[in-house]
CSV table of all heavy atoms in Angstrom, one decimal:
chain,number,residue,atom,x,y,z
A,319,MET,N,2.0,-21.8,48.7
A,319,MET,CA,1.6,-22.7,47.6
A,319,MET,C,1.4,-24.1,48.2
A,319,MET,O,0.4,-24.8,47.8
A,319,MET,CB,2.7,-22.7,46.6
A,319,MET,CG,2.3,-23.5,45.3
A,319,MET,SD,3.6,-23.6,44.1
A,319,MET,CE,3.5,-21.9,43.5
A,320,ASP,N,2.3,-24.6,49.0
A,320,ASP,CA,2.1,-25.9,49.7
A,320,ASP,C,0.8,-26.0,50.4
A,320,ASP,O,0.0,-27.0,50.2
A,320,ASP,CB,3.2,-26.2,50.7
A,320,ASP,CG,4.5,-26.7,50.0
A,320,ASP,OD1,4.5,-26.9,48.8
A,320,ASP,OD2,5.5,-26.8,50.7
A,321,HIS,N,0.4,-25.0,51.1
A,321,HIS,CA,-0.8,-25.0,51.9
A,321,HIS,C,-2.0,-25.0,51.0
A,321,HIS,O,-3.0,-25.7,51.2
A,321,HIS,CB,-0.8,-23.7,52.8
A,321,HIS,CG,-2.0,-23.6,53.6
A,321,HIS,ND1,-2.2,-24.4,54.7
A,321,HIS,CD2,-3.1,-22.8,53.6
A,321,HIS,CE1,-3.3,-24.1,55.3
A,321,HIS,NE2,-3.9,-23.2,54.7
A,322,ARG,N,-2.0,-24.2,49.9
A,322,ARG,CA,-3.1,-24.2,48.9
A,322,ARG,C,-3.2,-25.6,48.2
A,322,ARG,O,-4.3,-26.1,48.0
A,322,ARG,CB,-2.9,-23.1,47.9
A,322,ARG,CG,-3.2,-21.7,48.5
A,322,ARG,CD,-3.4,-20.7,47.4
A,322,ARG,NE,-2.2,-20.6,46.5
A,322,ARG,CZ,-1.2,-19.8,46.7
A,322,ARG,NH1,-1.1,-19.0,47.7
A,322,ARG,NH2,-0.2,-19.8,45.8
A,323,LEU,N,-2.1,-26.2,47.9
A,323,LEU,CA,-2.1,-27.5,47.2
A,323,LEU,C,-2.7,-28.6,48.1
A,323,LEU,O,-3.5,-29.4,47.7
A,323,LEU,CB,-0.8,-27.9,46.7
A,323,LEU,CG,-0.2,-27.1,45.5
A,323,LEU,CD1,1.2,-27.5,45.3
A,323,LEU,CD2,-1.1,-27.4,44.3
A,324,ASP,N,-2.3,-28.5,49.4
A,324,ASP,CA,-2.9,-29.4,50.4
A,324,ASP,C,-4.4,-29.3,50.5
A,324,ASP,O,-5.2,-30.2,50.7
A,324,ASP,CB,-2.2,-29.3,51.8
A,324,ASP,CG,-0.8,-29.7,51.8
A,324,ASP,OD1,-0.4,-30.6,50.9
A,324,ASP,OD2,-0.1,-29.3,52.7
A,325,LYS,N,-4.9,-28.0,50.5
A,325,LYS,CA,-6.3,-27.7,50.5
A,325,LYS,C,-7.0,-28.3,49.3
A,325,LYS,O,-8.1,-28.9,49.5
A,325,LYS,CB,-6.4,-26.3,50.6
A,325,LYS,CG,-7.9,-25.8,50.9
A,325,LYS,CD,-8.0,-24.3,51.1
A,325,LYS,CE,-9.4,-23.9,51.2
A,325,LYS,NZ,-9.6,-22.4,51.4
A,326,GLN,N,-6.4,-28.2,48.1
A,326,GLN,CA,-7.0,-28.7,46.9
A,326,GLN,C,-7.1,-30.2,46.9
A,326,GLN,O,-8.1,-30.8,46.5
A,326,GLN,CB,-6.2,-28.3,45.7
A,326,GLN,CG,-6.1,-26.8,45.5
A,326,GLN,CD,-7.4,-26.1,45.3
A,326,GLN,OE1,-8.4,-26.7,44.8
A,326,GLN,NE2,-7.5,-24.8,45.6
A,327,VAL,N,-6.1,-30.9,47.5
A,327,VAL,CA,-6.1,-32.3,47.7
A,327,VAL,C,-7.3,-32.7,48.6
A,327,VAL,O,-8.0,-33.7,48.4
A,327,VAL,CB,-4.7,-32.9,48.2
A,327,VAL,CG1,-4.8,-34.3,48.6
A,327,VAL,CG2,-3.7,-32.7,47.1
A,328,ALA,N,-7.4,-32.0,49.8
A,328,ALA,CA,-8.4,-32.3,50.7
A,328,ALA,C,-9.8,-32.1,50.1
A,328,ALA,O,-10.8,-32.8,50.5
A,328,ALA,CB,-8.2,-31.4,51.9
A,329,GLU,N,-9.9,-31.1,49.2
A,329,GLU,CA,-11.2,-30.9,48.6
A,329,GLU,C,-11.5,-31.8,47.4
A,329,GLU,O,-12.5,-31.9,46.8
A,329,GLU,CB,-11.3,-29.5,48.1
A,329,GLU,CG,-11.4,-28.4,49.2
A,329,GLU,CD,-11.3,-27.0,48.6
A,329,GLU,OE1,-11.2,-26.8,47.4
A,329,GLU,OE2,-11.3,-26.1,49.4
A,330,GLY,N,-10.5,-32.7,47.1
A,330,GLY,CA,-10.6,-33.6,46.0
A,330,GLY,C,-10.4,-33.1,44.6
A,330,GLY,O,-10.8,-33.7,43.6
A,331,ARG,N,-9.9,-31.9,44.5
A,331,ARG,CA,-9.7,-31.3,43.2
A,331,ARG,C,-8.4,-31.6,42.6
A,331,ARG,O,-8.2,-31.5,41.3
A,331,ARG,CB,-9.7,-29.8,43.4
A,331,ARG,CG,-11.1,-29.3,43.9
A,331,ARG,CD,-11.2,-27.8,44.1
A,331,ARG,NE,-11.2,-27.1,42.8
A,331,ARG,CZ,-10.9,-25.9,42.7
A,331,ARG,NH1,-10.7,-25.1,43.7
A,331,ARG,NH2,-10.9,-25.4,41.5
A,332,LEU,N,-7.4,-32.1,43.3
A,332,LEU,CA,-6.1,-32.6,42.9
A,332,LEU,C,-5.9,-34.0,43.5
A,332,LEU,O,-6.3,-34.2,44.6
A,332,LEU,CB,-5.0,-31.7,43.2
A,332,LEU,CG,-4.7,-30.4,42.5
A,332,LEU,CD1,-3.6,-29.6,43.1
A,332,LEU,CD2,-4.4,-30.7,41.0
A,333,THR,N,-5.1,-34.8,42.8
A,333,THR,CA,-4.6,-36.0,43.5
A,333,THR,C,-3.4,-35.7,44.3
A,333,THR,O,-2.7,-34.7,44.1
A,333,THR,CB,-4.3,-37.2,42.5
A,333,THR,OG1,-3.2,-36.7,41.7
A,333,THR,CG2,-5.5,-37.5,41.6
A,334,GLN,N,-3.1,-36.6,45.2
A,334,GLN,CA,-1.9,-36.4,46.1
A,334,GLN,C,-0.6,-36.4,45.2
A,334,GLN,O,0.3,-35.7,45.4
A,334,GLN,CB,-1.8,-37.4,47.2
A,334,GLN,CG,-0.7,-37.2,48.2
A,334,GLN,CD,-0.9,-35.9,48.9
A,334,GLN,OE1,-1.9,-35.6,49.5
A,334,GLN,NE2,0.2,-35.1,49.0
A,335,ALA,N,-0.6,-37.3,44.2
A,335,ALA,CA,0.5,-37.4,43.3
A,335,ALA,C,0.7,-36.1,42.5
A,335,ALA,O,1.9,-35.6,42.4
A,335,ALA,CB,0.4,-38.6,42.3
A,336,GLN,N,-0.3,-35.5,42.0
A,336,GLN,CA,-0.2,-34.2,41.3
A,336,GLN,C,0.4,-33.2,42.3
A,336,GLN,O,1.2,-32.4,41.9
A,336,GLN,CB,-1.6,-33.8,40.8
A,336,GLN,CG,-2.1,-34.5,39.6
A,336,GLN,CD,-3.5,-34.1,39.3
A,336,GLN,OE1,-4.4,-33.9,40.1
A,336,GLN,NE2,-3.7,-33.9,38.0
A,337,ALA,N,-0.2,-33.1,43.5
A,337,ALA,CA,0.2,-32.1,44.4
A,337,ALA,C,1.7,-32.3,44.8
A,337,ALA,O,2.5,-31.3,44.9
A,337,ALA,CB,-0.6,-32.1,45.7
A,338,ASP,N,2.1,-33.5,45.0
A,338,ASP,CA,3.5,-33.8,45.3
A,338,ASP,C,4.4,-33.4,44.2
A,338,ASP,O,5.5,-32.9,44.4
A,338,ASP,CB,3.7,-35.3,45.7
A,338,ASP,CG,3.1,-35.6,46.9
A,338,ASP,OD1,2.8,-34.7,47.8
A,338,ASP,OD2,2.8,-36.9,47.2
A,339,GLY,N,4.0,-33.6,42.9
A,339,GLY,CA,4.8,-33.2,41.8
A,339,GLY,C,5.0,-31.7,41.7
A,339,GLY,O,6.1,-31.1,41.5
A,340,PHE,N,3.9,-30.9,42.0
A,340,PHE,CA,3.9,-29.5,42.0
A,340,PHE,C,4.8,-29.0,43.1
A,340,PHE,O,5.6,-28.0,42.9
A,340,PHE,CB,2.5,-28.9,42.0
A,340,PHE,CG,1.7,-29.2,40.8
A,340,PHE,CD1,0.3,-29.5,40.9
A,340,PHE,CD2,2.2,-29.1,39.5
A,340,PHE,CE1,-0.5,-29.7,39.8
A,340,PHE,CE2,1.4,-29.3,38.4
A,340,PHE,CZ,0.1,-29.6,38.6
A,341,LYS,N,4.7,-29.6,44.2
A,341,LYS,CA,5.5,-29.2,45.4
A,341,LYS,C,7.0,-29.4,45.2
A,341,LYS,O,7.8,-28.5,45.5
A,341,LYS,CB,5.0,-30.0,46.7
A,341,LYS,CG,3.7,-29.5,47.2
A,341,LYS,CD,3.4,-30.4,48.5
A,341,LYS,CE,2.0,-30.2,49.0
A,341,LYS,NZ,1.7,-31.0,50.1
A,342,ALA,N,7.3,-30.5,44.5
A,342,ALA,CA,8.7,-30.9,44.2
A,342,ALA,C,9.2,-29.8,43.2
A,342,ALA,O,10.4,-29.3,43.4
A,342,ALA,CB,8.8,-32.2,43.7
A,343,GLU,N,8.4,-29.5,42.2
A,343,GLU,CA,8.9,-28.5,41.2
A,343,GLU,C,9.1,-27.1,41.9
A,343,GLU,O,10.1,-26.4,41.6
A,343,GLU,CB,7.9,-28.5,40.1
A,343,GLU,CG,8.3,-27.7,38.9
A,343,GLU,CD,7.4,-27.7,37.7
A,343,GLU,OE1,6.6,-28.7,37.7
A,343,GLU,OE2,7.5,-26.9,36.9
A,344,ALA,N,8.2,-26.8,42.7
A,344,ALA,CA,8.3,-25.5,43.4
A,344,ALA,C,9.5,-25.4,44.3
A,344,ALA,O,10.1,-24.4,44.4
A,344,ALA,CB,7.0,-25.2,44.2
A,345,LYS,N,9.7,-26.6,45.0
A,345,LYS,CA,10.8,-26.6,45.9
A,345,LYS,C,12.2,-26.4,45.2
A,345,LYS,O,13.1,-25.8,45.5
A,345,LYS,CB,10.8,-27.8,46.8
A,345,LYS,CG,12.0,-27.9,47.8
A,345,LYS,CD,11.8,-29.1,48.7
A,345,LYS,CE,13.0,-29.1,49.6
A,345,LYS,NZ,12.6,-29.4,51.0
A,346,GLN,N,12.2,-27.2,44.0
A,346,GLN,CA,13.4,-27.1,43.2
A,346,GLN,C,13.6,-25.7,42.7
A,346,GLN,O,14.8,-25.2,42.7
A,346,GLN,CB,13.3,-28.1,42.0
A,346,GLN,CG,14.5,-28.0,41.1
A,346,GLN,CD,14.3,-28.9,39.9
A,346,GLN,OE1,13.2,-29.5,39.7
A,346,GLN,NE2,15.2,-29.0,39.0
A,347,LEU,N,12.6,-25.0,42.2
A,347,LEU,CA,12.7,-23.7,41.7
A,347,LEU,C,13.2,-22.8,42.9
A,347,LEU,O,14.1,-21.9,42.6
A,347,LEU,CB,11.4,-23.2,41.2
A,347,LEU,CG,11.3,-21.8,40.7
A,347,LEU,CD1,12.3,-21.6,39.5
A,347,LEU,CD2,9.9,-21.5,40.2
A,348,HIS,N,12.6,-22.9,44.0
A,348,HIS,CA,13.0,-22.1,45.2
A,348,HIS,C,14.5,-22.3,45.5
A,348,HIS,O,15.2,-21.3,45.8
A,348,HIS,CB,12.1,-22.5,46.4
A,348,HIS,CG,12.5,-21.7,47.6
A,348,HIS,ND1,12.2,-20.3,47.7
A,348,HIS,CD2,13.0,-22.0,48.8
A,348,HIS,CE1,12.6,-19.9,48.9
A,348,HIS,NE2,13.0,-20.9,49.6
A,349,GLU,N,14.9,-23.6,45.5
A,349,GLU,CA,16.3,-23.8,45.8
A,349,GLU,C,17.3,-23.2,44.8
A,349,GLU,O,18.3,-22.7,45.1
A,349,GLU,CB,16.6,-25.3,46.0
A,349,GLU,CG,15.9,-26.0,47.1
A,349,GLU,CD,16.4,-25.5,48.5
A,349,GLU,OE1,17.6,-25.1,48.6
A,349,GLU,OE2,15.5,-25.3,49.4
A,350,GLU,N,16.9,-23.3,43.5
A,350,GLU,CA,17.7,-22.7,42.5
A,350,GLU,C,17.7,-21.2,42.6
A,350,GLU,O,18.8,-20.6,42.4
A,350,GLU,CB,17.1,-23.1,41.1
A,350,GLU,CG,17.3,-24.5,40.7
A,350,GLU,CD,16.7,-24.9,39.4
A,350,GLU,OE1,16.4,-24.0,38.6
A,350,GLU,OE2,16.5,-26.1,39.2
A,351,MET,N,16.7,-20.6,43.0
A,351,MET,CA,16.6,-19.1,43.2
A,351,MET,C,17.5,-18.7,44.4
A,351,MET,O,18.3,-17.8,44.3
A,351,MET,CB,15.2,-18.6,43.5
A,351,MET,CG,14.3,-18.6,42.3
A,351,MET,SD,12.6,-18.2,42.4
A,351,MET,CE,12.3,-17.6,44.1
A,352,LYS,N,17.5,-19.5,45.5
A,352,LYS,CA,18.4,-19.3,46.6
A,352,LYS,C,19.8,-19.4,46.2
A,352,LYS,O,20.7,-18.6,46.6
A,352,LYS,CB,18.0,-20.2,47.8
A,352,LYS,CG,16.8,-19.8,48.6
A,352,LYS,CD,16.4,-20.8,49.6
A,352,LYS,CE,17.5,-21.3,50.5
A,352,LYS,NZ,17.0,-22.2,51.6
A,353,ALA,N,20.1,-20.5,45.4
A,353,ALA,CA,21.5,-20.7,45.0
A,353,ALA,C,22.0,-19.5,44.1
A,353,ALA,O,23.1,-19.1,44.3
A,353,ALA,CB,21.6,-22.0,44.3
A,354,ALA,N,21.1,-19.0,43.2
A,354,ALA,CA,21.5,-17.9,42.4
A,354,ALA,C,21.8,-16.7,43.2
A,354,ALA,O,22.7,-15.9,42.9
A,354,ALA,CB,20.4,-17.6,41.3
Side-chain angles (χ1 to χ4, degrees):
M319 184 181 290
D320 278 354
H321 184 72
R322 287 192 306 265
L323 288 171
D324 289 340
K325 187 176 176 182
Q326 299 298 335
V327 170
E329 292 174 359
R331 298 177 68 196
L332 281 178
T333 65
Q334 188 63 49
Q336 287 174 314
D338 289 342
F340 293 140
K341 287 179 187 180
E343 190 173 341
K345 184 174 178 134
Q346 178 186 2
L347 179 60
H348 180 67
E349 293 298 323
E350 288 177 19
M351 287 176 10
K352 279 174 51 177

